[in-house]
Amino acid sequence: MMISNQKMPKSSLNCDCGCKNQRCTSKSTNSKKQQKEKILFLCVHNKRRSIMAESFAKYEGLDAYSAGLEKDKNENENNKVDEMVVLVMDEVGLPVKQKSETVEEVMEDIKGVDILVTMGCMGACPYVPSKKHIAWELEDPEGKDIHFYRKVRDEIQRKVIELSETLNEYE
């Protein structure tokens, strides 16, 4: 099920375990929770594509994080997420984190990753040890109009849902 451009009612985003995933499989209190694989979405600046992917993945109930290679060169914009990303994700009712992080900052917190998903770094992404590496070639929407941001958002959503379904097959 794709998220429509209408915001989801808050009550429909919550399941019994609190993960906010409508399709959560852990609604039974008797089920044993399995350790989820940590997924890192990696991009150049962690301001657009990886931020959207992290938000969709968390909505799908995945243990997801996002990071960038480097801080933006512009001091004033150093940690800010692209405002257009906030806008297009708000259109589908999903929040995004408010500040970008480098891969070093995220890896220090999460202490390792199982699945690394690069977002179209074109060879610029660093080596991050992981069990699995997935490369998504997604054009960076920076500087484009809102329609292009929406197109990239929708493509990321499709890819995250496919990833989630693939991971659920192995549970």
Side-chain angles (χ1 to χ4, degrees):
M1 168 195 322
M2 297 288 279
I3 298 172
S4 71
N5 282 345
Q6 296 179 351
K7 289 186 179 182
M8 303 294 286
K10 295 249 186 255
S11 60
S12 71
L13 292 177
N14 294 321
C15 78
D16 294 342
C17 75
C19 73
K20 298 182 180 181
N21 181 354
Q22 291 178 342
R23 299 185 303 217
C24 180
T25 58
S26 65
K27 292 186 186 287
S28 168
T29 55
N30 295 331
S31 67
K32 212 178 197 183
K33 287 189 181 179
Q34 294 181 353
Q35 181 68 27
K36 292 181 183 178
E37 292 183 293
K38 291 180 191 173
I39 303 168
L40 176 63
F41 295 98
L42 185 60
C43 205
V44 176
H45 294 294
N46 190 224
K47 291 180 178 278
R48 288 171 281 281
R49 296 166 289 180
S50 56
I51 295 280
M52 289 188 271
E54 176 185 14
S55 183
F56 281 121
K58 285 183 175 181
Y59 177 77
E60 290 295 316
L62 302 175
D63 188 10
Y65 306 87
S66 66
L69 288 176
E70 57 192 42
K71 296 285 186 180
D72 196 321
K73 308 265 188 276
N74 183 342
E75 278 293 315
N76 297 330
E77 301 295 319
N78 208 12
N79 288 332
K80 290 177 80 178
V81 171
D82 187 322
E83 291 177 11
M84 292 283 274
V85 167
V86 175
L87 178 67
V88 298
M89 292 303 287
D90 188 53
E91 289 176 349
V92 295
L94 292 180
V96 294
K97 67 182 181 182
Q98 296 302 303
K99 73 177 194 94
S100 63
E101 298 174 278
T102 65
V103 67
E104 291 85 9
E105 291 168 332
V106 172
M107 291 302 284
E108 186 177 308
D109 287 341
I110 67 174
K111 310 288 187 232
V113 62
D114 298 302
I115 300 171
L116 176 69
V117 181
T118 56
M119 310 298 291
C121 303
M122 314 265 186
C125 286
Y127 172 75
V128 175
S130 60
K131 294 177 186 173
K132 184 173 187 173
H133 177 247
I134 301 169
W136 291 349
E137 293 303 321
L138 298 164
E139 189 175 344
D140 188 351
E142 180 181 23
K144 305 278 193 325
D145 66 18
I146 193 162
H147 301 293
F148 194 81
Y149 274 80
R150 289 176 181 139
K151 177 183 167 200
V152 171
R153 175 201 62 200
D154 294 346
E155 185 176 355
I156 290 170
Q157 181 184 14
R158 280 189 295 280
K159 288 179 172 293
V160 167
I161 288 172
E162 288 172 9
L163 176 62
S164 178
E165 289 171 350
T166 300
L167 294 174
N168 288 335
E169 288 175 12
Y170 298 107
E171 288 184 354

